[in-house]
Amino acid sequence: MKIAESIHRILSREDLVTDLFYLTYFERYPDLKQQFDGVDMDQQAVLLRMALTVIHQYHEYGYPAAEQYLLVLGRKHSLRNIPEELYADWRDCMLDTLERYFEHEWNTELEDEWTNAINKATDVMCRGYEEFAINRLRN
Ligand code: HEM
């Protein structure tokens, strides 16, 4: 299976891979739960699933629209004071979640593709932490 097929499956299924992600994430990092105080986690899982499609689109097609979304997403995380250092653990937790979700269909090729895609996305998000990157969107 390639990354495009995996995202197709993620979007087609009724259950949310991202529900499983947050379960795993808070099990691993209980202290981070407080960052989400007051956040509706059902809605959050829906938003994160759609963000996975943007991560895929930026990886596969390099769309400027996807890049701009990721810049804005980075900006939102910077305003929430989420340290950039958390992104590597976030990525590893997402990879483990995808492995559990896809079970025997998961393989190293797919893992490499998703690793690459998430790394590229978090690079852009981290650029979004800098004010000038967001200002550029307006010019
Ligand atoms: C590649 C990494 C990440 C992606 C793709 C991602 C994705 C998202 C998305 C799509 C949203 C919703 C934004 C919106 O309301 O429009 C969000 C919000 C949020 N994320 Fe992340 N996130 C990432 C990493 C992290 C990390 C490491 C943390 C730290 C624990 C975090 C904490 C939050 C919080 C607290 C919110 C705010 C929820 C709210 O205000 O309703 N995120 N994230």
Side-chain angles (χ1 to χ4, degrees):
M1 181 168 36
K2 307 283 273 183
I3 192 169
E5 173 62 19
S6 69
I7 200 74
H8 172 69
R9 302 269 193 97
I10 285 169
L11 296 179
S12 305
R13 277 170 57 162
E14 284 292 329
D15 63 340
L16 277 91
V17 66
T18 40
D19 278 335
L20 183 59
F21 168 79
Y22 283 120
L23 271 177
T24 316
Y25 195 63
F26 295 141
E27 223 170 74
R28 259 180 218 188
Y29 309 108
D31 292 353
L32 289 179
K33 184 88 179 73
Q34 70 195 27
Q35 301 268 9
F36 291 85
D37 275 357
V39 172
D40 181 326
M41 292 313 292
D42 290 334
Q43 291 185 22
Q44 179 64 22
V46 169
L47 295 180
L48 183 57
R49 177 165 67 173
M50 289 315 290
L52 288 178
T53 72
V54 180
I55 291 175
H56 163 253
Q57 285 171 351
Y58 183 61
H59 168 74
E60 194 113 312
Y61 310 110
Y63 293 135
E67 183 178 11
Q68 287 172 8
Y69 173 89
L70 291 166
L71 283 171
V72 171
L73 191 57
R75 181 79 187 132
K76 284 190 173 181
H77 284 75
S78 102
L79 294 173
R80 277 246 172 198
N81 297 315
I82 307 293
E84 297 175 37
E85 294 71 38
L86 292 182
Y87 288 141
D89 287 343
W90 188 101
R91 176 202 59 216
D92 292 345
C93 186
M94 182 56 78
L95 291 171
D96 291 345
T97 305
L98 291 170
E99 180 174 6
R100 272 174 71 193
Y101 189 75
F102 286 113
E103 299 180 314
H104 59 276
E105 290 180 286
W106 187 250
N107 56 45
T108 48
E109 197 190 340
L110 194 52
E111 179 172 357
D112 288 349
E113 261 196 299
W114 270 109
T115 303
N116 233 324
I118 295 172
N119 285 343
K120 276 156 69 174
T122 47
D123 283 353
V124 178
M125 284 174 69
C126 289
R127 270 200 276 131
Y129 276 53
E130 294 155 34
E131 188 69 51
F132 75 88
I134 294 294
N135 285 338
R136 253 190 45 221
L137 295 177
R138 301 194 186 103
N139 301 321

